[in-house]
Amino acid sequence: MVKRTFSFEFFPPKTPQGIDKLRATRDQLALLKPKFFSVTFGAGGSTRDHSLETVLDIQRAGYSAAPHLSCIGSTHDNIRAILQEYQTHGIRHIVALRGDLPSGMASTGEFRYANELVEFIRNESGDWFNIEVAAYPEYHPQARSAREDLLNFKRKVEAGANSAITQYFFNADAYFNFVDKCAALGVGLPIVPGIMPIGNFTQLARFSDACGAEIPRWMRKQMEAYSDDIESIRAFGLDVVTDLCERLLKAGAPGLHFYTLNQAALTTAIWQRLGL
């Protein structure tokens, strides 16, 4: 039986209150024994220092941390320095992404695509890091075609990725189709589904419009009908996302990666419903 990987994603807090809140969330989710906690990375220095502090705080608490690295605004020198710092602290897991260009930022930096970043990490540090990359079952919003997006993903894998985490989605068939298409290209690494618990429809709609994740029309209409009834939206979201996770795991998905938004309650509820 294949061992499944479960993991949780955080963003770095910017205030002392946010740090305390994240520690409480982390300790609650740690009871579920995830393989690692990943920590997002702000482009252009926006949260980079906070990312390092958060990663080291997770590690000091005795848990495994996987920091994100992004191409946007990065240079060879600063990525090299970050890699060396992570190696010094014994970090062995990285999520390597192209990242999104913040508004008002003119230059992408010295890495244009994630495959270049993966290749650089491998050249600099050999097999020290387990490298995760991003996958897009509903295709990257900036991809010119589905085929081009698949070939971009293949390039990241060939550059040295060990496994992949997907953008969140609510259509399981999109994930299964993507995995089948990758297999047909000879890409056989584990592709872990990204899972977004639903707690706030307005926020979810904003995220989804930005990242190209489709909210199926029936889901959108139902949540719109609930209007400001947060409890009904959360109850509906728990049902929908739990069903999605059950279907994915039953069909052989190699694990689940939860986008927690630094909250524990919804992820824990889904976990308990799944009987994990």
Side-chain angles (χ1 to χ4, degrees):
M1 182 177 168
V2 178
K3 185 167 170 53
R4 295 184 303 206
T5 298
F6 297 98
S7 50
F8 304 122
E9 183 166 301
F10 300 141
F11 60 84
K14 297 179 181 178
T15 65
Q17 295 86 349
I19 291 169
D20 290 342
K21 184 182 168 214
L22 181 57
R23 283 176 179 156
T25 297
R26 177 200 71 201
D27 291 344
Q28 193 174 337
L29 290 174
L31 298 173
L32 309 181
K33 297 188 166 41
K35 186 174 182 188
F36 63 90
F37 294 108
S38 72
V39 179
T40 62
F41 181 79
S46 58
T47 65
R48 286 182 182 185
D49 292 341
H50 297 300
S51 296
L52 177 60
E53 291 161 12
T54 305
V55 165
L56 296 182
D57 198 47
I58 289 169
Q59 195 190 40
R60 279 192 295 267
Y63 310 122
S64 177
H68 290 208
L69 281 180
S70 158
C71 297
I72 301 299
S74 295
T75 65
H76 294 126
D77 285 345
N78 81 327
I79 291 292
R80 182 180 293 116
I82 292 168
L83 292 173
Q84 288 169 352
E85 183 143 30
Y86 284 145
Q87 283 181 288
T88 300
H89 289 288
I91 302 289
R92 304 211 58 146
H93 202 153
I94 275 179
V95 183
L97 308 165
R98 194 200 73 167
D100 300 314
L101 196 63
S103 58
M105 193 171 176
S107 168
T108 58
E110 292 179 6
F111 300 93
R112 286 181 63 209
Y113 301 111
N115 64 291
E116 296 172 5
L117 178 58
V118 173
E119 188 174 5
F120 182 81
I121 294 168
R122 282 283 172 246
N123 288 339
E124 288 292 315
S125 49
D127 290 331
W128 176 268
F129 292 107
N130 182 331
I131 302 176
E132 307 268 1
V133 291
Y136 296 87
E138 295 172 320
Y139 305 110
H140 194 284
Q142 293 169 350
R144 284 193 291 259
S145 69
R147 176 74 179 170
E148 183 194 67
D149 201 49
L150 279 166
L151 294 176
N152 286 342
F153 180 65
K154 187 180 184 191
R155 277 192 281 275
K156 291 190 282 192
V157 174
E158 290 173 341
N162 299 99
S163 49
I165 297 168
T166 77
Q167 179 58 271
Y168 71 86
F169 55 89
F170 299 107
N171 180 351
D173 289 331
Y175 170 80
F176 299 137
N177 177 65
F178 181 80
V179 171
D180 288 347
K181 289 269 180 29
C182 288
L185 281 176
V187 177
L189 85 177
I191 301 173
V192 174
I195 302 298
M196 177 68 84
I198 299 172
N200 179 313
F201 173 60
T202 306
Q203 184 184 52
L204 180 69
R206 188 175 72 246
F207 287 166
S208 301
D209 290 344
C211 72
E214 182 184 350
I215 303 175
R217 179 179 168 81
W218 69 273
M219 282 179 58
R220 191 179 280 268
K221 288 295 181 188
Q222 182 62 72
M223 287 187 283
E224 285 172 356
Y226 288 134
S227 185
D228 296 329
D229 184 351
I230 297 296
E231 287 309 309
S232 292
I233 289 172
R234 286 166 68 102
F236 172 75
L238 281 173
D239 288 344
V240 167
V241 177
T242 302
D243 287 348
L244 172 67
C245 293
E246 280 179 339
R247 191 174 168 202
L248 291 166
L249 293 174
K250 201 171 286 184
L256 300 170
H257 178 80
F258 289 88
Y259 296 104
T260 70
L261 304 182
N262 291 13
Q263 311 274 339
L266 292 174
T267 297
T268 303
I270 294 164
W271 188 279
Q272 289 168 342
R273 286 179 173 212
L274 292 170
L276 293 171

